[in-house]
Amino acid sequence: MADSINRVVLAYSGGLDTSVILKWLQQNYGCEVVTFTADLGQGEELEPARKKAEMMGVKPEHIFIDDLREEFVGDFVFPMMRANALYEGLYLLGTSIARPLIAKRQIEIARQVNADAVSHGATGKGNDQVRFELGYYALDPDIKVIAPWREWDLTSRTALIAFAEAHQIPVPKDKRGESPFSTDANLLHTSSEGKVLEDPWDEVPEYVFSRTVSPEDAPDTPQIVTIAFERGDAVAVDGEGMSPATLLAKLNDLGRAHGIGRLDLVENRFVGMKSRGMYETPGGTILHVAHRAIEQITLDRGAAHLKDELAPRYAELLYNGFWFSPEREMLQAAIDHSQHKVSGEVRLKLYKGGAHVIGRRSPNSLYSEKVVTFEDDQGAYDQRDAAGFIKLNALRLRLLGRRDR
C-alpha cells in the first residue's frame, strides 16, 4: 500500500521513462503530479514536454519549464572550474554538477505548490539517485522521496513500452527497438553509457559521439583563441565579453569543430560498481586547460599545490552528491579565496582533439623574467644563497646516510 501522498513534483523530461513514471505516480499513489523540466542547455525542444504533460492530465499551472542555463553555468559549473575538479583525475563531472541545481529547483517548486513529495527517474544502480536525494534532504529534511525504479516491477524496456501502450502514452519510434546506449546532456557535456559501451575493451563506435567531430576529421589548420579571466572565472573569448552560459556555448562550438573533449572512462560509482562511460565536454575541456594556465602565473606555489591536494576531495564530494554539504562549502570558500588575483588572458591553439596553451599574461603575474633569466640578472637573485638552502635540506639525508652506511 503506497504512502499517502497528495501532490508530488516530478523531474520530468517528457521522454518515455518519466512519462511512464508520471502515469505510475497518478495510479499508484492516487496523487496530483506537478512536472518540472529544466533547460540546462541540453539542446532539445522542451515544449513537447509541456504538451505531453497536459495530455496526461497535469494542470497547466502545474507544468514548470525553467531556463536555468545561466544559473547552471554561473553558480555551479564556474565554482567547480575554479576548483580544477576532476573525478579520478579525468572526469569533468558534467552529469554530477547538474543534479544539485535540479534538486534545488524541485524543492523550491514543492514549497511553491505545497507538494509533500518529490520524484525522479534515476535507477537504483546509479549515482544520480544519490545526488538527487542528498540534495532534496539537505534542502528539506522532511520531504518524502519517491524513486519508482526502486519500487515498481517494470524492470525492462519492453515492460515500460507495454505500460505506455496500455495507457495511451506515445512511444517514439526510436524507443521501440533496443536502445544501443543511454545519454544525458546539458550545456557542459554529453554522457553515454550502457549497451554497446558495456565491454570496456571495445572501442566506442563513432555514431555514439554527438558533441564533437572526430579528431581525424577536424580541420588541418589550428585555430588560435584567447580567453580572458577575472577572479578565476572566464569572462571573454577573443575580446568579446559574454555571460557564463553564452561563453560556455561559444567554447562548445570551438571544441566541437576541433574534436576536443572526448573521454572514454571506466569509473568507480558511489554505489560500488565500476561503469564504462563516454563523455564529451568540448567547452569544459578548453576552459579547464585555460584556467590552469592562468593560475600558473597568478597563484603562489603554496596556494597552487594546496589547491591540487584539495581538488580530488572536492571532485569526489561533487561526484557523490554532497554539493550542499558543509565540507564542500568549506572547500569552496578556500578555493574562491585563492582566486582573487586569478585574472588575465590565456591564448590556446585548438587542433585535432587538443587544446594547447601557447601563452598567458596577467597584471597580477608572479612570473619574473628578471629573476628567472639565464642572462645577467643584475643581482636580482644571488645564486650563492642556494648553497645554504641545499645544505639545510640535505642535513637529515646526510645523517641518515652516515647512520646506515
Side-chain angles (χ1 to χ4, degrees), residues 266-352:
V266 176
E267 72 201 57
N268 291 291
R269 286 183 181 170
F270 192 22
V271 295
M273 69 186 77
K274 290 184 182 289
S275 68
R276 193 268 190 104
M278 188 285 297
Y279 299 107
E280 292 176 275
T281 319
T285 299
I286 297 170
L287 193 56
H288 175 78
V289 171
H291 182 257
R292 291 214 62 133
I294 195 64
E295 283 191 330
Q296 289 167 10
I297 60 171
T298 56
L299 275 191
D300 167 74
R301 181 185 69 182
H305 288 188
L306 180 58
K307 273 196 80 219
D308 282 347
E309 292 180 45
L310 298 177
R313 176 72 171 132
Y314 182 106
E316 186 174 61
L317 285 171
L318 183 48
Y319 184 86
N320 291 348
F322 289 95
W323 176 266
F324 296 108
S325 68
E327 59 269 37
R328 199 282 306 177
E329 292 170 351
M330 288 171 63
L331 286 177
Q332 193 73 59
I335 288 160
D336 290 352
H337 181 77
S338 76
Q339 301 294 289
H340 289 179
K341 298 291 186 181
V342 181
S343 301
E345 290 183 311
V346 177
R347 195 167 69 247
L348 304 103
K349 180 183 291 185
L350 311 181
Y351 183 65
K352 290 196 177 294

Coordinates of all heavy atoms in Angstrom, one line a residue, residues 266-352:
V266 N 36.4 4.3 -17.5 CA 35.8 3.3 -16.5 C 36.0 3.9 -15.2 O 37.1 4.0 -14.7 CB 36.5 1.9 -16.6 CG1 35.9 1.0 -15.6 CG2 36.3 1.3 -18.0
E267 N 34.9 4.2 -14.5 CA 34.9 4.9 -13.3 C 34.3 4.1 -12.1 O 33.6 3.1 -12.4 CB 34.1 6.2 -13.4 CG 32.6 6.0 -13.5 CD 31.9 7.2 -14.1 OE1 32.2 7.6 -15.2 OE2 30.9 7.7 -13.4
N268 N 34.6 4.5 -10.9 CA 34.0 3.8 -9.7 C 32.8 4.6 -9.3 O 32.9 5.7 -8.8 CB 35.1 3.8 -8.6 CG 36.2 2.8 -9.0 OD1 36.0 1.6 -9.0 ND2 37.4 3.4 -9.2
R269 N 31.6 4.0 -9.4 CA 30.4 4.7 -9.0 C 30.4 4.7 -7.4 O 31.0 3.8 -6.8 CB 29.2 3.9 -9.5 CG 28.9 4.1 -11.0 CD 27.6 3.4 -11.3 NE 27.3 3.6 -12.8 CZ 26.4 2.9 -13.4 NH1 25.6 2.0 -12.8 NH2 26.1 3.1 -14.7
F270 N 29.6 5.6 -6.9 CA 29.5 5.8 -5.5 C 28.8 4.5 -4.9 O 29.1 4.1 -3.8 CB 28.7 7.0 -5.1 CG 28.7 7.4 -3.7 CD1 29.7 7.0 -2.8 CD2 27.7 8.2 -3.2 CE1 29.7 7.4 -1.5 CE2 27.7 8.6 -1.9 CZ 28.7 8.2 -1.0
V271 N 27.9 3.9 -5.6 CA 27.2 2.7 -5.1 C 28.1 1.5 -5.1 O 27.6 0.4 -4.6 CB 25.9 2.5 -5.9 CG1 24.9 3.6 -5.7 CG2 26.2 2.2 -7.4
G272 N 29.3 1.5 -5.7 CA 30.2 0.4 -5.5 C 30.7 -0.3 -6.8 O 31.7 -0.9 -6.8
M273 N 29.9 -0.2 -7.9 CA 30.3 -0.9 -9.1 C 31.2 0.0 -10.0 O 31.2 1.2 -9.9 CB 29.1 -1.4 -9.9 CG 28.2 -0.2 -10.5 SD 26.7 -0.8 -11.2 CE 25.7 -1.1 -9.7
K274 N 31.9 -0.6 -10.9 CA 32.6 0.1 -12.0 C 31.6 0.2 -13.2 O 30.9 -0.7 -13.5 CB 33.9 -0.6 -12.4 CG 35.0 -0.5 -11.3 CD 36.2 -1.2 -11.9 CE 37.3 -1.2 -10.8 NZ 37.9 0.2 -10.5
S275 N 31.7 1.4 -13.9 CA 30.9 1.5 -15.1 C 31.8 2.2 -16.1 O 32.7 3.0 -15.8 CB 29.6 2.3 -14.9 OG 30.0 3.7 -14.6
R276 N 31.5 1.9 -17.4 CA 32.2 2.5 -18.5 C 31.3 3.5 -19.2 O 30.2 3.2 -19.5 CB 32.6 1.4 -19.5 CG 33.6 1.8 -20.6 CD 33.0 2.3 -21.9 NE 34.1 2.4 -22.9 CZ 34.2 1.6 -23.9 NH1 33.4 0.5 -24.0 NH2 35.2 1.7 -24.8
G277 N 31.8 4.7 -19.3 CA 31.1 5.8 -20.0 C 31.9 6.5 -21.0 O 33.1 6.5 -20.9
M278 N 31.2 7.2 -21.9 CA 31.9 8.0 -22.9 C 31.4 9.4 -22.6 O 30.2 9.7 -22.7 CB 31.6 7.6 -24.3 CG 32.4 8.3 -25.3 SD 31.9 9.9 -25.7 CE 30.2 9.6 -26.3
Y279 N 32.3 10.4 -22.4 CA 31.9 11.7 -22.1 C 32.5 12.7 -23.2 O 33.6 12.5 -23.7 CB 32.5 12.2 -20.7 CG 32.0 11.4 -19.6 CD1 32.8 10.4 -18.9 CD2 30.7 11.5 -19.2 CE1 32.3 9.7 -17.9 CE2 30.2 10.7 -18.1 CZ 31.0 9.8 -17.5 OH 30.5 9.1 -16.4
E280 N 31.6 13.7 -23.5 CA 32.1 14.7 -24.4 C 31.9 16.1 -23.7 O 30.8 16.4 -23.4 CB 31.3 14.7 -25.7 CG 31.5 13.5 -26.6 CD 30.6 13.6 -27.8 OE1 29.4 13.1 -27.7 OE2 31.0 14.1 -28.9
T281 N 33.0 16.7 -23.5 CA 33.0 18.0 -22.7 C 33.8 19.0 -23.5 O 34.9 19.4 -23.0 CB 33.5 17.8 -21.3 OG1 33.0 16.6 -20.8 CG2 33.1 19.0 -20.4
P282 N 33.4 19.4 -24.7 CA 34.3 20.3 -25.5 C 34.7 21.6 -24.9 O 35.9 21.9 -24.7 CB 33.5 20.4 -26.8 CG 32.1 20.1 -26.5 CD 32.1 19.1 -25.3
G283 N 33.7 22.4 -24.6 CA 34.0 23.7 -24.0 C 34.6 23.6 -22.6 O 35.5 24.4 -22.2
G284 N 34.1 22.7 -21.8 CA 34.6 22.5 -20.5 C 36.1 22.1 -20.4 O 36.9 22.5 -19.6
T285 N 36.5 21.3 -21.4 CA 37.9 20.9 -21.5 C 38.8 22.1 -21.8 O 39.9 22.3 -21.2 CB 38.1 19.8 -22.6 OG1 37.3 18.7 -22.2 CG2 39.5 19.4 -22.8
I286 N 38.4 22.9 -22.8 CA 39.1 24.1 -23.1 C 39.2 25.0 -21.9 O 40.3 25.6 -21.5 CB 38.5 24.9 -24.3 CG1 38.5 24.0 -25.5 CG2 39.1 26.2 -24.5 CD1 37.6 24.6 -26.7
L287 N 38.1 25.2 -21.2 CA 38.1 26.1 -20.0 C 39.0 25.5 -18.9 O 39.7 26.3 -18.3 CB 36.6 26.2 -19.5 CG 36.3 27.2 -18.5 CD1 36.7 28.6 -19.0 CD2 34.8 27.2 -18.2
H288 N 39.0 24.2 -18.7 CA 39.8 23.6 -17.6 C 41.3 23.9 -17.9 O 42.1 24.3 -17.1 CB 39.5 22.1 -17.6 CG 40.4 21.4 -16.6 ND1 40.3 21.4 -15.3 CD2 41.5 20.6 -16.8 CE1 41.2 20.7 -14.7 NE2 42.0 20.2 -15.6
V289 N 41.7 23.7 -19.2 CA 43.1 23.9 -19.6 C 43.5 25.3 -19.4 O 44.6 25.7 -18.9 CB 43.3 23.4 -21.0 CG1 44.7 23.8 -21.6 CG2 43.1 21.9 -21.2
A290 N 42.6 26.2 -19.9 CA 42.9 27.7 -19.8 C 43.0 28.1 -18.3 O 43.8 28.9 -18.0 CB 41.8 28.4 -20.6
H291 N 42.1 27.6 -17.5 CA 42.1 28.1 -16.1 C 43.4 27.7 -15.4 O 44.0 28.5 -14.6 CB 40.8 27.5 -15.3 CG 40.8 28.0 -13.9 ND1 41.1 27.2 -12.9 CD2 40.5 29.2 -13.4 CE1 41.0 27.8 -11.7 NE2 40.6 29.1 -12.0
R292 N 43.8 26.5 -15.6 CA 45.1 26.0 -15.0 C 46.2 26.9 -15.5 O 47.2 27.2 -14.8 CB 45.3 24.5 -15.3 CG 44.4 23.6 -14.6 CD 45.0 22.3 -14.2 NE 46.1 22.5 -13.3 CZ 46.3 21.9 -12.1 NH1 45.4 20.9 -11.8 NH2 47.3 22.1 -11.3
A293 N 46.1 27.3 -16.8 CA 47.2 28.1 -17.3 C 47.3 29.5 -16.7 O 48.4 30.0 -16.4 CB 47.0 28.3 -18.9
I294 N 46.1 30.1 -16.4 CA 46.2 31.5 -15.8 C 46.6 31.3 -14.4 O 47.3 32.2 -13.8 CB 44.8 32.2 -16.0 CG1 45.0 33.7 -15.7 CG2 43.7 31.6 -15.1 CD1 45.9 34.4 -16.6
E295 N 46.3 30.2 -13.7 CA 46.7 30.0 -12.4 C 48.2 29.8 -12.3 O 48.9 30.2 -11.3 CB 46.0 28.8 -11.7 CG 44.6 29.0 -11.3 CD 44.0 27.9 -10.5 OE1 44.5 26.7 -10.7 OE2 43.2 28.2 -9.6
Q296 N 48.8 29.3 -13.3 CA 50.3 29.1 -13.3 C 51.1 30.3 -13.1 O 52.1 30.3 -12.4 CB 50.7 28.5 -14.7 CG 50.3 27.0 -14.9 CD 50.5 26.6 -16.4 OE1 51.1 27.3 -17.2 NE2 50.0 25.5 -16.7
I297 N 50.6 31.5 -13.5 CA 51.3 32.7 -13.3 C 50.8 33.6 -12.2 O 51.4 34.6 -11.9 CB 51.5 33.5 -14.6 CG1 50.1 33.9 -15.2 CG2 52.3 32.7 -15.7 CD1 50.2 34.9 -16.4
T298 N 49.6 33.3 -11.7 CA 49.0 34.2 -10.7 C 48.9 33.6 -9.3 O 48.7 34.3 -8.4 CB 47.5 34.6 -11.2 OG1 46.8 33.4 -11.4 CG2 47.6 35.4 -12.4
L299 N 49.0 32.3 -9.2 CA 48.9 31.6 -7.9 C 50.3 31.4 -7.3 O 51.2 30.9 -8.0 CB 48.2 30.3 -8.0 CG 46.7 30.3 -7.9 CD1 46.2 28.8 -7.7 CD2 46.1 31.1 -6.8
D300 N 50.5 31.7 -6.1 CA 51.7 31.3 -5.4 C 51.8 29.8 -5.3 O 50.8 29.1 -5.3 CB 51.7 31.9 -4.0 CG 52.7 31.3 -3.0 OD1 53.9 31.7 -3.2 OD2 52.4 30.5 -2.2
R301 N 53.1 29.3 -5.2 CA 53.3 27.8 -5.2 C 52.6 27.1 -4.1 O 51.9 26.1 -4.3 CB 54.8 27.5 -5.1 CG 55.1 26.0 -5.1 CD 56.6 25.8 -4.8 NE 57.0 26.1 -3.4 CZ 58.2 26.0 -2.9 NH1 59.2 25.7 -3.7 NH2 58.4 26.4 -1.7
G302 N 52.6 27.7 -2.9 CA 51.9 27.1 -1.8 C 50.4 27.0 -2.0 O 49.8 25.9 -1.7
A303 N 49.8 28.0 -2.5 CA 48.4 28.0 -2.7 C 48.0 27.1 -3.9 O 47.1 26.3 -3.8 CB 47.9 29.4 -3.1
A304 N 48.9 27.1 -4.9 CA 48.6 26.2 -6.1 C 48.7 24.7 -5.7 O 47.9 23.9 -6.1 CB 49.6 26.5 -7.2
H305 N 49.7 24.4 -4.9 CA 49.9 23.0 -4.5 C 48.8 22.5 -3.5 O 48.4 21.4 -3.6 CB 51.3 22.8 -3.9 CG 52.4 22.8 -5.0 ND1 53.7 22.5 -4.7 CD2 52.3 23.2 -6.3 CE1 54.4 22.6 -5.8 NE2 53.6 23.1 -6.8
L306 N 48.4 23.4 -2.6 CA 47.3 23.1 -1.7 C 46.0 22.9 -2.5 O 45.2 21.9 -2.3 CB 47.1 24.2 -0.7 CG 46.0 23.9 0.3 CD1 46.2 22.6 1.1 CD2 45.9 25.1 1.3
K307 N 45.8 23.7 -3.5 CA 44.6 23.5 -4.4 C 44.6 22.2 -5.1 O 43.6 21.5 -5.2 CB 44.5 24.6 -5.5 CG 43.8 25.9 -5.0 CD 43.4 26.7 -6.2 CE 42.2 26.2 -6.9 NZ 42.2 26.2 -8.3
D308 N 45.8 21.7 -5.5 CA 45.9 20.4 -6.2 C 45.6 19.3 -5.2 O 45.2 18.2 -5.6 CB 47.3 20.3 -6.8 CG 47.4 21.0 -8.1 OD1 46.4 21.5 -8.6 OD2 48.6 21.2 -8.6
E309 N 45.9 19.5 -3.9 CA 45.6 18.5 -2.9 C 44.1 18.5 -2.6 O 43.5 17.4 -2.4 CB 46.3 18.8 -1.6 CG 47.8 18.6 -1.7 CD 48.5 18.8 -0.3 OE1 47.9 18.4 0.7 OE2 49.5 19.5 -0.3
L310 N 43.4 19.7 -2.7 CA 42.0 19.8 -2.3 C 41.1 19.3 -3.5 O 40.0 18.8 -3.3 CB 41.7 21.2 -2.0 CG 42.3 21.8 -0.7 CD1 41.9 23.2 -0.6 CD2 42.0 21.0 0.5
A311 N 41.6 19.5 -4.7 CA 40.8 19.2 -5.9 C 40.2 17.8 -6.0 O 39.0 17.7 -6.3 CB 41.5 19.6 -7.2
P312 N 41.0 16.8 -5.7 CA 40.4 15.4 -5.8 C 39.3 15.2 -4.7 O 38.3 14.5 -5.0 CB 41.6 14.5 -5.5 CG 42.8 15.3 -5.9 CD 42.4 16.7 -5.5
R313 N 39.5 15.8 -3.5 CA 38.5 15.7 -2.5 C 37.2 16.4 -2.9 O 36.1 15.9 -2.7 CB 39.0 16.3 -1.2 CG 38.0 16.3 0.0 CD 37.8 14.9 0.5 NE 37.0 15.0 1.8 CZ 35.9 14.3 2.0 NH1 35.5 13.4 1.1 NH2 35.2 14.4 3.1
Y314 N 37.4 17.6 -3.5 CA 36.2 18.4 -3.9 C 35.5 17.6 -5.0 O 34.3 17.5 -5.0 CB 36.7 19.7 -4.5 CG 35.7 20.7 -5.0 CD1 35.4 21.8 -4.3 CD2 35.0 20.5 -6.2 CE1 34.4 22.7 -4.7 CE2 34.1 21.4 -6.7 CZ 33.8 22.5 -5.9 OH 32.8 23.4 -6.4
A315 N 36.2 17.0 -6.0 CA 35.6 16.3 -7.1 C 34.8 15.1 -6.6 O 33.7 14.8 -7.0 CB 36.7 15.8 -8.1
E316 N 35.4 14.4 -5.6 CA 34.7 13.2 -5.0 C 33.4 13.6 -4.3 O 32.4 12.9 -4.4 CB 35.7 12.5 -4.1 CG 35.1 11.2 -3.6 CD 36.1 10.4 -2.7 OE1 36.5 10.9 -1.7 OE2 36.4 9.3 -3.1
L317 N 33.5 14.7 -3.6 CA 32.3 15.2 -2.9 C 31.2 15.5 -3.9 O 30.0 15.1 -3.8 CB 32.6 16.5 -2.1 CG 33.3 16.3 -0.8 CD1 33.7 17.7 -0.2 CD2 32.4 15.5 0.2
L318 N 31.6 16.1 -5.0 CA 30.6 16.5 -6.0 C 30.1 15.3 -6.7 O 28.9 15.1 -7.0 CB 31.3 17.5 -7.0 CG 30.4 18.0 -8.1 CD1 29.1 18.6 -7.6 CD2 31.2 19.2 -8.9
Y319 N 31.0 14.4 -7.1 CA 30.6 13.1 -7.8 C 29.6 12.3 -6.9 O 28.6 11.8 -7.4 CB 31.8 12.3 -8.1 CG 31.5 11.0 -8.8 CD1 31.5 11.0 -10.2 CD2 31.3 9.8 -8.2 CE1 31.2 9.9 -11.0 CE2 31.0 8.6 -8.9 CZ 31.0 8.7 -10.3 OH 30.7 7.5 -11.0
N320 N 29.8 12.3 -5.6 CA 29.0 11.5 -4.7 C 27.7 12.2 -4.3 O 26.9 11.6 -3.6 CB 29.8 11.1 -3.5 CG 30.9 10.1 -3.8 OD1 30.9 9.5 -4.9 ND2 31.8 9.9 -2.9
G321 N 27.5 13.5 -4.7 CA 26.3 14.1 -4.4 C 26.2 15.1 -3.2 O 25.2 15.5 -2.8
F322 N 27.4 15.4 -2.7 CA 27.5 16.3 -1.5 C 27.7 17.7 -1.8 O 28.4 18.4 -1.1 CB 28.5 15.7 -0.5 CG 28.2 14.4 0.1 CD1 28.6 13.2 -0.5 CD2 27.4 14.4 1.2 CE1 28.2 12.0 0.1 CE2 27.1 13.2 1.8 CZ 27.5 12.0 1.3
W323 N 27.1 18.3 -2.8 CA 27.2 19.7 -3.2 C 26.8 20.6 -2.0 O 27.4 21.6 -1.7 CB 26.4 20.0 -4.4 CG 26.4 21.5 -4.8 CD1 25.5 22.4 -4.4 CD2 27.4 22.2 -5.5 NE1 25.8 23.7 -4.9 CE2 27.0 23.5 -5.6 CE3 28.6 21.8 -6.1 CZ2 27.8 24.5 -6.3 CZ3 29.3 22.7 -6.8 CH2 28.9 24.1 -6.9
F324 N 25.7 20.2 -1.3 CA 25.1 21.0 -0.3 C 25.7 20.7 1.1 O 25.1 21.0 2.1 CB 23.6 20.9 -0.2 CG 22.9 21.4 -1.5 CD1 22.4 20.6 -2.4 CD2 22.9 22.8 -1.8 CE1 21.7 21.0 -3.6 CE2 22.3 23.3 -2.9 CZ 21.7 22.4 -3.8
S325 N 26.8 20.0 1.2 CA 27.4 19.6 2.4 C 28.3 20.7 3.0 O 28.8 21.5 2.2 CB 28.2 18.4 2.3 OG 29.4 18.6 1.5
P326 N 28.5 20.8 4.3 CA 29.4 21.8 4.8 C 30.8 21.7 4.4 O 31.5 22.7 4.2 CB 29.2 21.6 6.4 CG 28.6 20.3 6.6 CD 27.8 20.0 5.3
E327 N 31.3 20.5 4.2 CA 32.7 20.3 3.8 C 32.9 20.8 2.3 O 34.0 21.4 2.1 CB 33.1 18.9 3.9 CG 32.3 17.8 3.1 CD 31.2 17.2 3.9 OE1 30.5 17.9 4.6 OE2 30.9 16.0 3.7
R328 N 31.9 20.7 1.5 CA 32.1 21.2 0.1 C 32.1 22.8 0.2 O 32.9 23.4 -0.5 CB 30.9 20.7 -0.8 CG 31.2 20.9 -2.3 CD 31.0 22.3 -2.9 NE 29.7 22.9 -2.6 CZ 29.4 24.1 -2.9 NH1 30.3 24.9 -3.6 NH2 28.2 24.6 -2.6
E329 N 31.2 23.3 1.0 CA 31.2 24.8 1.2 C 32.4 25.3 1.8 O 32.9 26.4 1.4 CB 29.9 25.2 2.0 CG 28.6 24.9 1.3 CD 27.4 25.0 2.1 OE1 27.6 25.2 3.4 OE2 26.3 25.0 1.6
M330 N 33.0 24.6 2.7 CA 34.3 25.0 3.3 C 35.4 25.0 2.2 O 36.2 25.9 2.1 CB 34.7 24.0 4.4 CG 33.9 24.2 5.7 SD 34.2 22.9 6.9 CE 35.9 23.2 7.3
L331 N 35.5 23.9 1.5 CA 36.4 23.9 0.4 C 36.2 25.0 -0.6 O 37.2 25.6 -1.1 CB 36.4 22.5 -0.3 CG 36.9 21.3 0.4 CD1 36.7 20.0 -0.4 CD2 38.4 21.5 0.7
Q332 N 35.0 25.3 -0.9 CA 34.7 26.3 -1.9 C 35.2 27.7 -1.4 O 35.7 28.5 -2.2 CB 33.2 26.4 -2.2 CG 32.8 27.2 -3.4 CD 33.2 26.5 -4.7 OE1 32.7 25.4 -5.0 NE2 34.0 27.2 -5.5
A333 N 35.0 27.9 -0.1 CA 35.4 29.2 0.4 C 36.9 29.4 0.3 O 37.4 30.4 0.0 CB 35.0 29.3 1.9
A334 N 37.7 28.3 0.6 CA 39.1 28.3 0.5 C 39.5 28.5 -1.0 O 40.4 29.3 -1.3 CB 39.7 27.1 1.0
I335 N 38.9 27.8 -1.9 CA 39.2 27.9 -3.3 C 38.9 29.3 -3.8 O 39.7 29.9 -4.6 CB 38.4 26.8 -4.1 CG1 39.0 25.4 -3.8 CG2 38.4 27.1 -5.6 CD1 38.1 24.3 -4.1
D336 N 37.7 29.8 -3.5 CA 37.4 31.1 -4.0 C 38.3 32.2 -3.5 O 38.6 33.2 -4.2 CB 35.9 31.4 -3.6 CG 34.9 30.6 -4.4 OD1 35.3 29.8 -5.3 OD2 33.7 30.6 -4.1
H337 N 38.8 32.0 -2.2 CA 39.7 33.0 -1.7 C 41.0 33.0 -2.5 O 41.6 34.0 -2.8 CB 40.1 32.6 -0.2 CG 41.0 33.6 0.4 ND1 40.7 34.8 0.8 CD2 42.4 33.5 0.6 CE1 41.8 35.5 1.3 NE2 42.8 34.6 1.2
S338 N 41.4 31.8 -3.0 CA 42.6 31.7 -3.8 C 42.5 32.4 -5.2 O 43.5 32.6 -5.8 CB 43.0 30.2 -4.1 OG 42.1 29.6 -5.0
Q339 N 41.3 32.7 -5.6 CA 41.1 33.2 -7.0 C 41.1 34.7 -7.1 O 40.9 35.2 -8.2 CB 39.7 32.6 -7.5 CG 39.7 31.1 -7.5 CD 40.6 30.5 -8.5 OE1 40.5 30.6 -9.7 NE2 41.7 29.8 -8.0
H340 N 41.3 35.4 -6.0 CA 41.2 36.9 -6.0 C 42.1 37.6 -7.1 O 41.7 38.6 -7.6 CB 41.4 37.5 -4.6 CG 40.3 37.2 -3.7 ND1 40.4 37.6 -2.3 CD2 39.2 36.5 -3.8 CE1 39.3 37.2 -1.7 NE2 38.5 36.5 -2.6
K341 N 43.2 37.0 -7.3 CA 44.2 37.6 -8.2 C 44.3 36.8 -9.5 O 45.2 37.0 -10.3 CB 45.6 37.7 -7.6 CG 45.6 38.6 -6.3 CD 45.4 40.0 -6.7 CE 45.6 40.9 -5.5 NZ 45.4 42.3 -5.8
V342 N 43.4 35.8 -9.7 CA 43.5 34.9 -10.9 C 42.7 35.6 -12.1 O 41.6 35.3 -12.4 CB 42.9 33.5 -10.6 CG1 43.0 32.6 -11.9 CG2 43.7 32.9 -9.5
S343 N 43.4 36.6 -12.6 CA 42.8 37.4 -13.7 C 43.9 37.6 -14.8 O 45.1 37.6 -14.5 CB 42.4 38.8 -13.2 OG 41.4 38.7 -12.2
G344 N 43.5 37.6 -16.0 CA 44.4 37.8 -17.1 C 43.9 37.1 -18.4 O 42.7 36.8 -18.5
E345 N 44.8 36.8 -19.3 CA 44.4 36.2 -20.6 C 45.3 34.9 -20.8 O 46.4 34.9 -20.5 CB 44.6 37.2 -21.7 CG 43.6 38.3 -21.7 CD 43.8 39.2 -22.9 OE1 44.9 39.6 -23.2 OE2 42.8 39.5 -23.6
V346 N 44.6 34.0 -21.5 CA 45.3 32.7 -21.9 C 45.1 32.6 -23.4 O 43.9 32.7 -23.9 CB 44.8 31.5 -21.1 CG1 45.5 30.2 -21.7 CG2 45.0 31.7 -19.6
R347 N 46.1 32.3 -24.1 CA 46.0 32.0 -25.6 C 46.2 30.5 -25.8 O 47.2 29.9 -25.3 CB 47.0 32.8 -26.3 CG 46.7 32.9 -27.8 CD 47.5 34.0 -28.5 NE 49.0 33.7 -28.6 CZ 49.9 34.3 -27.9 NH1 49.6 35.4 -27.2 NH2 51.2 34.0 -28.0
L348 N 45.3 29.9 -26.6 CA 45.4 28.5 -26.8 C 45.3 28.2 -28.3 O 44.8 29.0 -29.1 CB 44.2 27.7 -26.2 CG 44.0 27.9 -24.7 CD1 42.8 28.9 -24.4 CD2 43.7 26.6 -24.0
K349 N 45.9 27.1 -28.7 CA 45.9 26.6 -30.0 C 45.0 25.3 -30.0 O 45.3 24.3 -29.3 CB 47.3 26.2 -30.5 CG 47.3 25.7 -32.0 CD 48.7 25.3 -32.4 CE 49.6 26.5 -32.6 NZ 50.9 26.1 -33.1
L350 N 43.9 25.4 -30.8 CA 43.0 24.2 -30.9 C 43.3 23.5 -32.1 O 43.3 24.0 -33.2 CB 41.5 24.7 -30.9 CG 41.1 25.7 -29.8 CD1 39.6 26.1 -30.0 CD2 41.4 25.2 -28.4
Y351 N 43.6 22.1 -32.0 CA 44.0 21.4 -33.1 C 43.8 19.9 -32.9 O 44.4 19.3 -32.0 CB 45.5 21.7 -33.4 CG 46.0 21.0 -34.7 CD1 45.5 21.3 -35.9 CD2 47.0 20.0 -34.6 CE1 46.0 20.7 -37.1 CE2 47.5 19.4 -35.7 CZ 47.0 19.7 -36.9 OH 47.5 19.1 -38.1
K352 N 42.9 19.3 -33.7 CA 42.7 17.9 -33.8 C 42.6 17.2 -32.4 O 43.4 16.3 -32.1 CB 43.8 17.2 -34.7 CG 43.6 17.6 -36.2 CD 44.4 16.7 -37.1 CE 44.2 17.0 -38.5 NZ 42.8 16.7 -39.0

